Amino acid sequence: MTELQEGQKAPEFTGKDQEGNEISLSQFVGKKVVLYFYPKDDTPGCTAEACDFRDKYESLTGKGIVVLGVSVDDEKSHKKFVAKHNLPFTLLADTDKKIVEAYGVWAEKSMYGKTYMGTNRKTFIIDEQGNIAHIISKVDTKNATNQVLELLKLS
């Protein structure tokens, strides 16, 4: 699997959201999409990132930007995470790991000397034509929205 590059077509996907609805990337042609990958619902960094998108959500939607979060947690976990933190955007349950693999974020990680497979935190900004406009590899969980807006020159 070659690493995705800015300028190339974003891989199409379909996944289930926290309500069990099927969501496909192709539904958002004509809009900018912030597709952010995160390791796990309700962990400190992931919560900080989700809450940053929540707190500045109107600054994104006001510019016609759609926010989609993806992790390998299931719909039930997402539903609890959304309810607990009042998240106004869609979270996709990628339990079969098709989306994380298509975007190259399913990778070997290590913690406390143990190696395991997990999701790398990464954000893809997809333009109105479905191409990858920007990739944020070093996500600042507390300022994720500002990173997006600065890249899009919208801050």
Side-chain angles (χ1 to χ4, degrees):
M1 165 92 206
T2 58
E3 196 167 325
L4 294 174
Q5 303 293 321
E6 293 178 359
Q8 78 182 84
K9 195 89 178 138
E12 175 55 41
F13 62 80
T14 300
K16 289 208 187 290
D17 71 6
Q18 66 269 21
E19 300 298 331
N21 303 310
E22 286 210 340
I23 304 288
S24 297
L25 181 60
S26 56
Q27 288 173 235
F28 303 105
V29 170
K31 296 186 174 204
K32 283 186 175 67
V33 175
V34 170
L35 181 66
Y36 84 95
F37 291 89
Y38 65 99
K40 187 147 185 56
D41 287 341
D42 228 9
T43 54
C46 300
T47 300
E49 185 176 16
C51 290
D52 182 67
F53 281 127
R54 176 201 65 202
D55 294 345
K56 298 178 184 121
Y57 188 64
E58 286 177 14
S59 66
L60 294 166
T61 57
K63 295 173 173 65
I65 299 169
V66 174
V67 177
L68 299 174
V70 181
S71 83
V72 297
D73 294 309
D74 63 18
E75 295 157 44
K76 195 171 149 193
S77 174
H78 282 346
K79 194 170 178 135
K80 280 171 58 179
F81 189 43
V82 164
K84 181 175 180 182
H85 298 287
N86 201 22
L87 304 178
F89 48 85
T90 300
L91 296 181
L92 297 173
D94 188 24
T95 53
D96 61 7
K97 302 175 183 66
K98 285 187 176 144
I99 306 172
V100 292
E101 286 176 351
Y103 280 80
V105 297
W106 186 249
E108 192 173 275
K109 301 170 88 174
S110 67
M111 187 187 290
Y112 308 122
K114 285 193 167 67
T115 304
Y116 62 98
M117 294 301 288
T119 304
N120 282 332
R121 186 182 312 279
K122 198 176 259 198
T123 301
F124 293 84
I125 303 172
I126 300 166
D127 69 18
E128 295 84 348
Q129 292 76 43
N131 297 313
I132 299 170
H134 301 282
I135 300 172
I136 303 171
S137 297
K138 290 190 177 13
V139 176
D140 178 348
T141 56
K142 291 182 175 68
N143 292 296
T145 308
N146 289 343
Q147 283 183 298
V148 167
L149 292 172
E150 282 170 21
L151 279 172
L152 294 173
K153 312 273 187 274
L154 297 171
S155 52

